[in-house]
């Protein structure tokens, strides 16, 4: 192989290596949530409050919809940019969590799921999000 072809081949391999380093496949293995007992056992003081559903829907649209999608399926426009595979918020597996656990996951967050304590400072609004997520159940 002459020097020109060798240099071209090396350049191609180097370019492919650089390109592949920017492409990271989605993590399809779901990491289980480690929810403190404090939250697992936390009672929802606004459970069943239908007045809060409108507020919950607004909060969800503002803070959650871009990743979780309109119906909580994890198909929002930003979902493809994440390394984490999101839960289907409307599915039975997610809906079996306690309200306090959903509060923890939605407000406290972890990894790519951001913390919303500052963005949603009002406690009633936080529970409104939990109640709205409950409404997404299939």
């Amino acid at each position: 192989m002459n020097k020109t072809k060798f240099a071209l081949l090396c350049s191609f391999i180097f370019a492919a290596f650089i390109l592949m380093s920017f492409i990271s496949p989605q993590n399809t293995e779901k990491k289980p949530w480690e929810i403190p007992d404090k939250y697992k056992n936390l009672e929802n003081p606004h459970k069943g409050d239908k007045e809060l559903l409108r507020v919950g829907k607004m909060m969800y649209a503002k803070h959650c919809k871009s990743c979780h999608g309109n119906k909580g399926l994890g198909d929002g426009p930003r979902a493809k940019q994440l390394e984490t595979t999101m839960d289907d918020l409307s599915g039975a597996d997610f809906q079996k969590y306690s309200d306090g656990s959903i509060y923890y996951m939605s407000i406290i967050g972890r990894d790519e799921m951001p913390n919303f304590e500052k963005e949603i400072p009002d406690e009633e609004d936080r529970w409104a999000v939990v109640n709205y997520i409950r409404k997404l159940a299939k």
Side-chain angles (χ1 to χ4, degrees):
M1 182 181 300
N2 67 31
K3 288 183 180 180
T4 305
K5 286 182 180 178
F6 182 73
L8 189 59
L9 179 62
C10 288
S11 296
F12 176 76
I13 291 171
F14 181 73
F17 177 75
I18 295 296
L19 181 62
M20 287 174 50
S21 70
F22 287 105
I23 300 171
S24 63
Q26 251 191 339
N27 180 6
T28 55
E29 186 177 323
K30 289 186 181 176
K31 177 179 158 186
W33 280 85
E34 294 178 19
I35 301 167
D37 288 340
K38 169 187 170 182
Y39 290 95
K40 285 181 189 174
N41 302 318
L42 190 61
E43 292 290 324
N44 181 345
H46 303 284
K47 188 174 189 146
D49 187 338
K50 294 186 191 302
E51 300 289 321
L52 284 181
L53 286 179
R54 182 183 58 79
V55 174
K57 184 176 183 176
M58 288 182 348
M59 293 285 126
Y60 181 90
K62 182 176 180 180
H63 300 291
C64 313
K65 186 172 129 178
S66 64
C67 293
H68 292 284
N70 285 330
K71 297 179 181 178
L73 302 176
D75 60 352
R78 292 190 62 212
K80 291 179 183 173
Q81 299 169 9
L82 302 175
E83 291 182 24
T84 307
T85 301
M86 289 183 284
D87 288 323
D88 174 358
L89 303 182
S90 68
D93 285 343
F94 186 84
Q95 291 288 326
K96 72 182 176 189
Y97 285 110
S98 69
D99 284 354
S101 294
I102 293 174
Y103 178 100
Y104 179 84
M105 291 184 275
S106 303
I107 305 303
I108 306 303
R110 68 157 191 208
D111 302 331
E112 290 183 297
M113 176 61 199
N115 179 294
F116 284 107
E117 291 175 291
K118 290 182 181 169
E119 287 79 7
I120 309 174
D122 184 72
E123 196 68 21
E124 189 174 82
D125 290 348
R126 294 175 182 182
W127 286 110
V129 172
V130 172
N131 289 345
Y132 184 73
I133 290 171
R134 285 284 187 217
K135 186 180 179 295
L136 295 173
K138 293 179 180 177

